[in-house]
Amino acid sequence: MKTKDRILLESLKLFNRRGERNVSTNHIAAALDISPGNLYYHFRNKNEIVYQLFLQYEQQVRGFMTVPQERDITFQDKVNYLEDILNSMWDFRFLHQDLHHLLQDDDRLRIAYREFSSRTVADGRKILLSMAESGVLRANAEQIDALILNIWVMVVSWSSFLQSISIQNNEGGTLRKGMLKRAIYQIIALEEPFLCESVQALLPELKKHYLDGASTDPLALFPSILDDAQLS
Amino acid sequence: MKTKDRILLESLKLFNRRGERNVSTNHIAAALDISPGNLYYHFRNKNEIVYQLFLQYEQQVRGFMTVPQERDITFQDKVNYLEDILNSMWDFRFLHQDLHHLLQDDDRLRIAYREFSSRTVADGRKILLSMAESGVLRANAEQIDALILNIWVMVVSWSSFLQSISIQNNEGGTLRKGMLKRAIYQIIALEEPFLCESVQALLPELKKHYLDGASTDPLALFPSILDDAQLS
């Protein structure tokens, strides 16, 4: 593997584990056993590494957000889109966990992120529209507009929401993939009232899967006050 | 007004305008024309000011999240809760715009925020349950659990979502109250399929109000690429 790719891979690993803010280019060089000078030969600063990782993430998401051309779209397709997005978010989880900070530090990333959001919402709307055409979704254009925005905000906010209620933190790295993918349960619940009967029949099984053995009770998400004893 | 209260008021104004991260205790003292020593007499550091402002915000929200005791709850009550919450979020908008950073810096705030979230979700669920009892909402317990969590994530994430797509920024302070309150449109859309017919009839007018003259098209939210010319 080329040094440039090794740097990206190691950076991603460290950013996901400790949070981007807590990882310096020196940490990255040390982890790879290369000199800081060698790292700077490939990337002029940490922002450049973050930007290149963002492009990889964007490329992944763009790759699977396409409507099948030769057959009707199914609800399983929709679930697959969500699976793919949440898997990518897991792979690049440092991005959404401190997005505000990353965007504030880098104009180029801010513009790229906005374009990425805009394109993904547009692609998502096409998917919902084609689900409406094929009869899987019973919603008018206005309902689809509201729905896609609700889904998108839920997708991009779920990980920082979990973080804000201390389900995860950069130190302990307690975010489990199952907790991240519980966002899919919430999104299925969003869409449920609009889905046709034949799809509704499949939902109990699916929802059970994405609840990941957890309770539906939203309060069960909040770590108990008892946990705080360990903090002090 | 006591100096302590003047410090809190001025801090809130500056944090909302410029972002908490860009405002130092020296900035606050200078704006009030008091010495840094005088400020430190009242607050031992900036975290303490942020924490006291959070307590004010929490107090406000706790004040109005109660179910009416002597009559049935109505859909208008529900809209009022959302109005009140979004108004409080506007008053203390710096909190949700960089929550991750604030929570990471202060264990005490992190614990208080988690308790606040947990209590507000519990109160919100009581409200939805009592709407179901009075027949305004037709949803079972599982649907209510999913719904309250979706509503809560939308409420607390909307302002940072707008920020991430450059609708607002700390420099220009371009967040308008109308854009923040558009969250209510999104939440009405979330609840719509579960509402009884008599309430459904009221929704077109309400939704028009919270769209704030904007398009339903989610892409209209994304500033055009042309705006970027002004960034560089």
Side-chain angles (χ1 to χ4, degrees), chain B residues 130-149:
Chain B
S130 88
M131 283 170 68
E133 267 169 41
S134 71
V136 175
L137 195 76
R138 288 167 307 191
N140 61 34
E142 190 204 329
Q143 289 169 324
I144 284 175
D145 283 354
L147 196 55
I148 190 60
L149 199 56

Side-chain angles (χ1 to χ4, degrees), chain B residues 108-126:
Chain B
R108 186 171 60 156
L109 184 65
R110 194 163 68 245
I111 293 168
Y113 181 79
R114 185 203 299 176
E115 285 176 26
F116 164 72
S117 306
S118 162
R119 185 171 45 239
T120 314
V121 167
D123 289 345
R125 183 157 65 161
K126 266 186 217 148

Side-chain angles (χ1 to χ4, degrees), chain A residues 120-153:
Chain A
T120 315
V121 167
D123 289 345
R125 183 158 65 161
K126 267 186 217 149
I127 289 167
L128 291 187
L129 284 169
S130 88
M131 282 169 69
E133 267 169 41
S134 71
V136 175
L137 195 75
R138 288 167 307 192
N140 61 34
E142 190 204 329
Q143 288 169 323
I144 284 175
D145 283 354
L147 196 55
I148 190 59
L149 199 57
N150 278 335
I151 291 171
W152 183 241
V153 175

Side-chain angles (χ1 to χ4, degrees), chain B residues 79-91:
Chain B
V79 173
N80 293 345
Y81 293 127
L82 291 173
E83 271 278 341
D84 288 343
I85 289 189
L86 270 295
N87 282 331
S88 292
M89 286 185 74
W90 173 257
D91 292 343

Side-chain angles (χ1 to χ4, degrees), chain A residues 21-22 97-101 103-104 107 110-111 113-115 117-119 121-122 125 142-143 145-150 152-154 156-158 161 163-166 170-171 182 185-187 189-190 192-194 207 216-219 221-225 227-228 231, chain B residues 21-22 97-101 103-104 107 110-111 113-115 117-119 121-122 125 142-143 145-150 152-154 156-158 161 163-166 170-171 182 185-187 189-190 192-194 207 216-219 221-225 227-228 231:
Chain A
R21 215 188 290 226
N22 305 313
Q97 283 174 24
D98 198 7
L99 191 61
H100 172 65
H101 160 70
L103 299 182
Q104 205 171 34
D107 279 359
R110 195 163 69 246
I111 293 168
Y113 181 79
R114 186 203 300 176
E115 285 176 24
S117 306
S118 163
R119 186 171 44 240
V121 167
R125 183 158 65 161
E142 190 204 329
Q143 288 169 323
D145 283 354
L147 196 55
I148 190 59
L149 199 57
N150 278 335
W152 183 241
V153 175
M154 182 62 58
V156 295
S157 307
W158 183 249
F161 165 68
Q163 199 169 38
S164 75
I165 58 170
S166 308
N170 289 327
E171 302 309 318
R182 193 184 151 150
Y185 172 85
Q186 294 299 131
I187 292 165
L190 266 173
E192 179 170 2
F194 298 104
K207 293 203 285 187
T216 65
D217 180 353
L219 293 177
L221 273 180
F222 295 85
S224 84
I225 307 300
D227 296 343
D228 293 337
L231 276 175
Chain B
R21 216 187 289 226
N22 304 314
Q97 282 174 24
D98 198 6
L99 190 61
H100 172 66
H101 160 71
L103 298 183
Q104 205 171 34
D107 279 359
R110 194 163 68 245
I111 293 168
Y113 181 79
R114 185 203 299 176
E115 285 176 26
S117 306
S118 162
R119 185 171 45 239
V121 167
R125 183 157 65 161
E142 190 204 329
Q143 289 169 324
D145 283 354
L147 196 55
I148 190 60
L149 199 56
N150 278 335
W152 183 241
V153 175
M154 182 61 59
V156 295
S157 307
W158 183 247
F161 166 69
Q163 199 169 38
S164 75
I165 59 170
S166 308
N170 289 328
E171 303 308 319
R182 192 184 154 151
Y185 172 85
Q186 295 300 130
I187 292 165
L190 266 173
E192 180 170 0
F194 299 103
K207 291 203 285 187
T216 66
D217 179 353
L219 293 177
L221 272 179
F222 294 86
S224 83
I225 308 300
D227 296 344
D228 292 337
L231 276 175

